Amino acid sequence: MSQPRAAKVLVIGYVWPEPRSSAASGHVMQILETFLQQGWDITFSSPAGAGEHPADLTALGIRQVPIELNNSSFDAFVSELAPDVVLFDQFMMEEQFGWRVEKHCPNALRVLETSDLQSLRHARHQRLKERLKASADLEDFNELFAPALRQEFELMADADLAKRELAAIYRCDLTLMISEVEIELLVQQFMVPRELLHWCPLMIDVPTRPSTRFEDRAHFLSIGNFRHSPNWDAVLWLKTTIWPLIRQQLPAAQLHIYGAYTPPKATALHNAAQGFHVMNWAEDALQVMSAARVCLAPLRFGAGIKGKLVDAMLCGTPNVTTPVGAEGMHGLEPWPGAITRTAQAFADSAVQLHNDRTCWLAAQAKGLHLLGQRYRQAQHGPALITRIEECRRNLGSIRRDNFTGSMLRHHQHKSTQYMSQWIEAKNRQPQ
């Protein structure tokens, strides 16, 4: 009996993956590796320019094909490729290319990979800005952290970004969600059918070798891509409020801040006399994380789950964060460090973890336990493949039952299609 043909997959990326620069790219790479383990044939395309630290997809056996926005050359490309599955990395790629995929490859399963709910992150950012305008207090942001899902819905519901993002979710056959909290927000408040969503968190192999000892580590660490606005805001809160509180208790303390695409406004914060070191990009994030004693992630807004905190657990590095940082990450499991709501509590927890070896070791053990309970690739990788195969087998009934998605494709996609075609025609006109 002949073996079934390997699935042919097209991934349309918002950017070319840079797993050493962002957790979002790391998650995309984990999905690609899961597909490769199945022997699937993968093509990765993106309209973006090359980044500074791209993954070598070709070395993994993945074809790389640049594509253009608002250009019918994509139609010929996707028709010839004839993929069985098309995965859109972020909803803007579904907006741009979804109607073309539907037109030329109607039987391809359309999957959306969200990384996080951008509309939720944006709404929380707006709420923080309003709070900062209303009060000069930089110590207590308790009212911002983990409000009820209904409050989040009311914050998001009138925004164009939420309508666009939810429309893309409905137009796809399956959406991969990295956070269980965001799944519940979509299901309970936006009334998205649960069967359109699949929980796919970061997927890792739990380490078996011992990590660097407490005695062999030094200093605090904060890490994150500076192009991601929650990371930049976290650095500002560290600089203005949290780090001075830590230095009051530990006058010799040192903080090393790493991040890809470090802007001049970040390097301007570097102050060796204050122990505040802006270190730019880390070629090996796990190496610098393993050398640190405590990871600091004072996130005042954001969405999804935090790759830096998974990396901290992988390296056996306890962390201090906020309810936003820990959201969707630990379920009912204990947190490997501290979750705090004020700058003073953040600083006190950071100092305790830095100084108290017993407390530090207990937090480290919780991190390894949490990884094993919630982030094992051996669990989530096969579950993802099973879900995709089920959707491929039942594609007709999925689309029939998703009438809202069908309606949105009929109306919204037509306007997107015509706008794209108008832009293409305009670009062809002589200047």
Side-chain angles (χ1 to χ4, degrees), residues 31-226:
I31 292 171
L32 293 176
E33 289 162 3
T34 299
F35 293 168
L36 287 171
Q37 289 172 9
Q38 293 297 117
W40 289 1
D41 184 297
I42 305 172
T43 300
F44 194 102
S45 293
S46 177
E52 293 181 3
H53 315 292
D56 189 351
L57 299 181
T58 303
L60 298 174
I62 299 173
R63 285 182 297 277
Q64 299 183 203
V65 181
I67 52 179
E68 294 184 43
L69 299 173
N70 306 307
N71 194 312
S72 57
S73 61
F74 179 85
D75 301 349
F77 160 67
V78 77
S79 296
E80 181 178 355
L81 184 64
D84 303 299
V85 178
V86 177
L87 187 146
F88 304 100
D89 171 31
Q90 303 193 28
F91 78 91
M92 297 84 77
M93 294 299 94
E94 189 279 336
E95 286 184 330
Q96 287 287 339
F97 297 101
W99 67 269
R100 295 184 184 273
V101 171
E102 180 178 12
K103 181 177 180 180
H104 298 284
C105 302
N107 295 322
L109 180 73
R110 296 188 292 272
V111 181
L112 177 62
E113 200 280 312
T114 58
S115 293
D116 65 4
L117 276 182
Q118 294 187 36
S119 50
L120 175 61
R121 170 163 36 95
H122 177 77
R124 287 174 168 174
H125 196 182
Q126 294 305 116
R127 182 168 58 199
L128 173 62
K129 290 178 180 178
E130 292 170 5
R131 158 65 175 77
L132 292 173
K133 288 180 181 178
S135 172
D137 176 19
L138 296 178
E139 208 276 337
D140 188 349
F141 292 88
N142 187 59
E143 76 275 12
L144 298 184
F145 294 139
L149 293 181
R150 183 65 191 179
Q151 291 176 270
E152 301 284 34
F153 169 77
E154 292 171 354
L155 193 67
M156 299 166 62
D158 292 332
D160 289 346
L161 189 63
K163 294 167 186 174
R164 290 172 56 196
E165 192 165 25
L166 268 290
I169 288 172
Y170 269 108
R171 287 192 297 260
C172 287
D173 305 307
L174 181 66
T175 293
L176 309 184
M177 302 294 299
I178 203 167
S179 166
E180 290 175 308
V181 171
E182 292 175 9
I183 290 177
E184 295 310 311
L185 175 63
L186 291 178
V187 171
Q188 295 180 26
Q189 301 300 323
F190 288 93
M191 304 303 172
V192 175
R194 193 178 293 273
E195 55 268 21
L196 293 180
L197 309 174
H198 178 75
W199 181 44
C200 183
L202 297 173
M203 300 180 284
I204 55 90
D205 295 321
V206 180
T208 55
R209 292 190 297 179
S211 58
T212 308
R213 299 185 311 159
F214 176 86
E215 294 80 6
D216 296 330
R217 296 171 181 249
H219 312 315
F220 296 91
L221 174 139
S222 183
I223 191 167
N225 189 321
F226 280 104

